C-alpha cells in the first residue's frame, strides 16, 4: 500500500515552499527546502519524480554556478534566467506531492477545512481536467499514427499548419466538452449538496505530516525572522 501524506499538510507545504522560494533566501535554506520536499516524495514512494526533479535541479544549479564563473553580460542574463528556473524547481516538487493525492482525498481535506463550495468544485474539476486532457491528447496522437502522420517535434516544425489542423483544433474543441462533462459529473455526485457530505477517505495526520510541517515552518522562521529584525 502506497504511503500518503495528509493532503492538508501538502497544501500548507506548497504554500510554505512558495513563500521560501519567492523571497531572498540563502542557498543553504533553499537546499534544505529541496531536501525536505525530497523526503516527502520518498515517503510517498514517488521515486521517479525524485530522480527527475533532483537531476533537473542539480543541472540547473550547476549551470547557474557556471554562468557566475564565466561572467559577462550574456552569462549574467542567462544566469538570472537559470536562477529563476532553479527557484521554481522546489515549488514544482511540492506540487508533485499534492498532485499525487487522489482528488477525493484532497476534496475531503478541503471540506474538513470548511472551504467555500465554489473553491471545492473548481478544484475538483481542475484535478480531473488535466488527466482527462492528457488521455485525449494520447488518443489524438494514436489517431495520427494510424493515418501515417506521426506527431513529433520535426513534423510540428516542418508542418505547422497540419499540426494545428490535426492536433490543436480537435484538442481545443474537446476542452470545452470535457470541462462541461466534468462539472456535470461533480454536480451529479452531490458536491454542492447542502447536507454534510461523507467521504470514502478517512484523513488522519501522522508523524510524517507533523515532522514535515514543523521542519518547513522552522525553515520559514529562519528565512523571515532576520528580515523582521529578529537576530537568531
Amino acid at each position: 500500500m502506497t504511503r500518503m501524506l495528509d493532503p492538508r499538510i501538502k497544501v500548507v507545504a506548497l504554500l510554505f515552499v512558495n513563500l521560501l522560494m519567492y523571497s531572498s533566501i540563502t542557498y543553504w535554506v533553499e537546499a534544505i527546502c529541496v531536501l525536505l520536499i525530497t523526503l516527502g516524495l520518498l515517503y510517498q514512494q514517488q521515486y521517479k519524480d525524485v530522480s527527475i526533479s533532483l537531476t533537473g535541479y542539480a543541472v540547473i544549479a550547476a549551470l547557474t554556478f557556471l554562468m557566475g564563473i564565466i561572467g559577462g553580460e550574456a552569462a549574467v542574463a542567462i544566469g538570472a534566467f537559470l536562477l529563476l528556473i532553479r527557484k521554481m524547481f522546489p515549488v514544482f516538487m511540492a506540487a508533485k506531492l499534492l498532485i499525487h493525492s487522489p482528488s477525493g482525498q484532497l476534496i475531503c481535506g478541503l471540506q474538513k477545512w470548511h472551504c467555500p463550495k465554489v473553491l471545492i468544485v473548481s478544484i475538483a474539476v481542475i484535478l480531473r481536467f488535466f488527466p482527462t486532457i492528457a488521455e485525449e491528447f494520447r488518443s489524438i496522437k494514436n489517431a495520427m499514427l494510424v493515418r501515417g502522420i506521426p506527431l513529433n517535434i520535426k513534423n510540428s516544425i516542418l508542418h505547422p499548419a497540419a499540426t494545428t489542423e490535426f492536433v490543436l483544433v480537435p484538442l481545443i474543441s474537446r476542452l470545452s466538452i470535457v470541462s462541461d462533462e466534468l462539472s456535470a459529473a461533480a454536480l451529479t455526485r452531490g458536491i454542492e449538496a447542502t447536507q454534510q457530505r461523507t467521504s470514502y477517505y478517512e484523513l488522519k495526520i501522522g508523524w510524517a505530516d507533523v515532522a514535515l510541517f514543523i521542519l518547513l515552518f522552522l525553515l520559514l522562521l529562519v528565512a523571515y525572522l532576520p528580515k523582521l529584525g529578529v537576530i537568531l
Side-chain angles (χ1 to χ4, degrees), residues 36 71 136:
L36 293 177
E136 294 290 336

Side-chain angles (χ1 to χ4, degrees), residues 38-179:
T38 299
L39 293 176
L41 291 170
L42 290 174
Y43 180 82
Q44 293 193 156
Q45 302 175 5
Q46 294 177 245
Y47 305 121
K48 183 178 179 180
D49 291 332
V50 169
S51 60
I52 294 174
S53 299
L54 289 183
T55 301
Y57 181 80
V59 171
I60 296 298
L63 290 175
T64 305
F65 181 73
L66 181 62
M67 292 299 108
I69 295 177
I70 294 174
E73 294 183 359
V76 169
I78 296 174
F81 177 71
L82 292 173
L83 178 62
L84 178 62
I85 297 177
R86 196 189 79 194
K87 291 281 188 179
M88 295 172 64
F89 255 92
V91 178
F92 291 148
M93 293 173 69
K96 281 285 188 181
L97 270 178
L98 186 60
I99 293 173
H100 196 67
S101 302
S103 57
Q105 192 179 83
L106 179 58
I107 291 170
C108 178
L110 294 175
Q111 288 173 342
K112 288 184 178 294
W113 271 351
H114 304 287
C115 291
K117 289 184 178 179
V118 175
L119 176 64
I120 296 176
V121 172
S122 301
I123 292 177
V125 173
I126 290 172
L127 288 175
R128 292 178 173 88
F129 181 77
F130 290 106
T132 306
I133 290 303
E135 185 177 346
E136 294 290 336
F137 182 80
R138 285 193 293 269
S139 298
I140 293 172
K141 185 177 180 180
N142 292 335
M144 291 179 65
L145 284 175
V146 171
R147 290 170 174 79
I149 313 173
L151 179 59
N152 50 45
I153 297 177
K154 178 182 177 181
N155 287 339
S156 300
I157 295 175
L158 296 179
H159 309 287
T163 302
T164 303
E165 179 183 356
F166 298 140
V167 179
L168 295 183
V169 172
L171 186 61
I172 291 173
S173 66
R174 284 293 301 168
L175 290 178
S176 59
I177 298 174
V178 168
S179 61

Side-chain angles (χ1 to χ4, degrees), residues 2 25 61 91 94 116 153 181-182 206 208 215:
T2 304
I25 58 175
V91 178
I153 297 177
E181 290 176 348
L182 291 175
L215 291 174

